Amino acid sequence: MLGVLGGMGPMATVDFMAKVVRNTPAACDQDHIPMVVCSASDIPDRNAALRGEGADPLPAMRDALRRLEAAGATCIAIPCNTAHMWHCALQYATPVLILHIVDAVTFELTARKGDCIGVLGTTSTIEGRLYQERLSYKGLSCRAPDAAGQEEVMRAIRLVKAGQLAEATEILQAQAEALVAAGCSQVVMACTEIPVALASVEGTLRTKLVDATEALARACVRACKTDAASEIAFAA
Amino acid sequence: MLGVLGGMGPMATVDFMAKVVRNTPAACDQDHIPMVVCSASDIPDRNAALRGEGADPLPAMRDALRRLEAAGATCIAIPCNTAHMWHCALQYATPVLILHIVDAVTFELTARKGDCIGVLGTTSTIEGRLYQERLSYKGLSCRAPDAAGQEEVMRAIRLVKAGQLAEATEILQAQAEALVAAGCSQVVMACTEIPVALASVEGTLRTKLVDATEALARACVRACKTDAASEIAFAA
């Protein structure tokens, strides 16, 4: 039973679940993966906490883990990149394997050693080097928008959480194009709100975008359909 | 904490969750309703069981209820109309209130005493008189497609479960229009796969369609935002 520690944000969790369903080969209900999802929307703001300006979200995330364990989860996914700043602390709190979103992305990257990968994510994700660290193990470097661009990305993420998609799409598309122009061979949408806003993007840019939510969904399908969760989680 | 007994089918559960999120007035994650969702896609086919041709789904549904209770659900919704044929049996199995989808629909109907309401649902829902019974308390009568039309509706529902939306949309739109032509003032999309297929319908028909999934989502928002679950559940 796949467990989902969700609610960060609630619509990103719905997007993730839809991607799990769409990535599962199925002709009827019973072919799909059983899931238990905790949409714990009351978890305190992760970015504020990392800036030292808000309540610690770890107790509420641990509470959600407890609920997933009680409901019988045997493998857990967290459709929120920023929350992965607490991945070690959360894995320490449960014997149930928690798949890592960056490993899921790394598994799907087609870039070659020496390539530069663009990362569109929250400021905490970028400053915390969530992607940089694990991608460097594969010989890949990372590039994020400059300071002004990064502020725009954060504004776009907040717009998605408030349901205002059109303006968010415009901002994020421009930032993704700037990263490609700066030489990035692929651009990771490394915040689960971003693919919601960039769903309509087509053309060359689309072929360079890597959807972290979709990558995590596919990792879950592989883990649950093969029971080889540990192998996949540590594949990177 | 809203509990969702889902997975019947998995995409209908995702559609329901999106409707809960969209119907919640919110500017940030923390304004949303915490949910725990069990997408128990392995529950045996409800229609086959009601035809006497398949395994009893009640034990698996009770198992999902146990998981929701263990995870801390304090009010439960089931985004599947056919599963409501077991509503009494499920409510008997848990002290946690289970909202009823037909009550949620009845709460939103604008029809007047004496009106005829069209019902597009599974054959079991129609033959089991799930809607007819509760709508008759409000002085409303019901009309379903004729035998050939009902078979088409079932085929369309199976197409949605297999991800083939285009043909399903055509079939369901024709059946909805036939019900309106036969004098129905409103037509209830009384199977959670149907609004997924009819999401693109516009014009006069759209104004006559009642989305049972959306009605249930709004009932959940009212229940969780006001803590008056019992009042709402029995409003009809």
Side-chain angles (χ1 to χ4, degrees), chain B residues 29 66 72 96 104 156 198 221 224 230:
Chain B
D29 293 355
R66 288 290 93 77
V96 182
L198 291 184
V221 174
C224 296
S230 57

Side-chain angles (χ1 to χ4, degrees), chain A residues 81-98:
Chain A
N81 287 267
T82 308
H84 280 74
M85 300 293 286
W86 286 269
H87 183 274
C88 286
L90 291 168
Q91 186 63 85
Y92 181 79
T94 178
V96 182
L97 178 76
I98 305 178

